[in-house]
Amino acid sequence: MSINVNIFRKFGQRKRKMDIISQLQEQVNTIAALSFNIIGTLQRDAPPVRLSPNYPEPPKNANDTEETTNLAEQPKTMSSELVKAAKQFDVLVAAIPLSDGDDEAAQLKRIAELQAENDAIGQELQKQLDAAGLCNCMSNNTS
C-alpha cells in the first residue's frame, strides 16, 4: 500500500494553492451557498400575494415603501455575486488540462509514471525521516 506523499509535502503550508479539482469543488460549494441564500432571501422578503379570490387581501406593511427601496438592490447584488461565481467556475473548467487523447494505454502509462514518481518521493521521504529518527511509519510501503 502506497502513502500519498503530497500530504507530507503540503504539511505546514496552510495557504498553498489548491489543485484544480479542489478549486472546482470549492466553487460548486460557493455557488450552492449563494443559491441557497438568494432563494431564502427572496422567500423571506417577497411581498404577500393573494392566492385566490376566495381569500382576503393580504395586510399591507406600514414600512412598505422604505423596505422596498432597500430590498430592490439586494437581489441585484446577490445575482451579480452568483454570476461572478458561475463565471469563475467556467474559468476553472477551462483550465482543466486535456488528456493526451482518449487512448487508454497512454493514460495507463501516465498513471504508472506518476505512481513511480510518487514511490520515489516516498522512499526519499522515508530516508529523511529515518535520518531524523522521527518514525518508521512508511517502511514496507511498496505496492
Side-chain angles (χ1 to χ4, degrees), residues 31-50:
I31 291 171
L34 285 169
S35 299
F36 180 78
N37 288 334
I38 289 169
I39 291 169
T41 301
L42 291 174
Q43 287 177 337
R44 179 194 68 205
D45 297 340
V49 177
R50 187 171 162 178

Side-chain angles (χ1 to χ4, degrees), residues 2-140:
S2 180
I3 294 178
N4 186 351
V5 177
N6 290 329
I7 294 171
F8 292 104
R9 282 190 211 161
K10 293 179 183 180
F11 184 75
Q13 298 177 3
R14 299 182 123 208
K15 286 293 186 178
R16 183 159 181 141
K17 189 173 183 174
M18 294 186 287
D19 64 54
I20 192 74
I21 300 301
S22 298
Q23 290 179 36
L24 281 169
Q25 291 171 335
E26 185 67 29
Q27 199 62 29
V28 166
N29 289 341
T30 299
I31 291 171
L34 285 169
S35 299
F36 180 78
N37 288 334
I38 289 169
I39 291 169
T41 301
L42 291 174
Q43 287 177 337
R44 179 194 68 205
D45 297 340
V49 177
R50 187 171 162 178
L51 298 175
S52 166
N54 299 334
Y55 292 108
E57 191 67 33
K60 297 291 182 187
N61 191 351
N63 298 330
D64 219 11
T65 57
E66 183 180 309
E67 287 180 7
T68 304
T69 308
N70 295 336
L71 297 178
E73 291 301 315
Q74 196 171 25
K76 292 176 186 176
T77 304
M78 295 175 95
S79 61
S80 70
E81 289 176 21
L82 184 62
V83 168
K84 286 179 190 175
K87 286 181 180 180
Q88 178 64 29
F89 182 83
D90 290 342
V91 167
L92 291 170
V93 168
I96 294 175
L98 299 175
S99 66
D100 295 333
D102 293 331
D103 185 22
E104 184 177 346
Q107 292 176 359
L108 291 174
K109 181 182 174 189
R110 180 67 179 143
I111 290 171
E113 290 171 359
L114 291 171
Q115 184 62 46
E117 180 184 342
N118 188 35
D119 290 343
I121 293 171
Q123 290 172 359
E124 180 183 333
L125 176 63
Q126 183 61 46
K127 287 177 187 176
Q128 291 176 2
L129 289 174
D130 289 342
L134 293 177
C135 73
N136 197 10
C137 58
M138 290 181 55
S139 61
N140 301 327

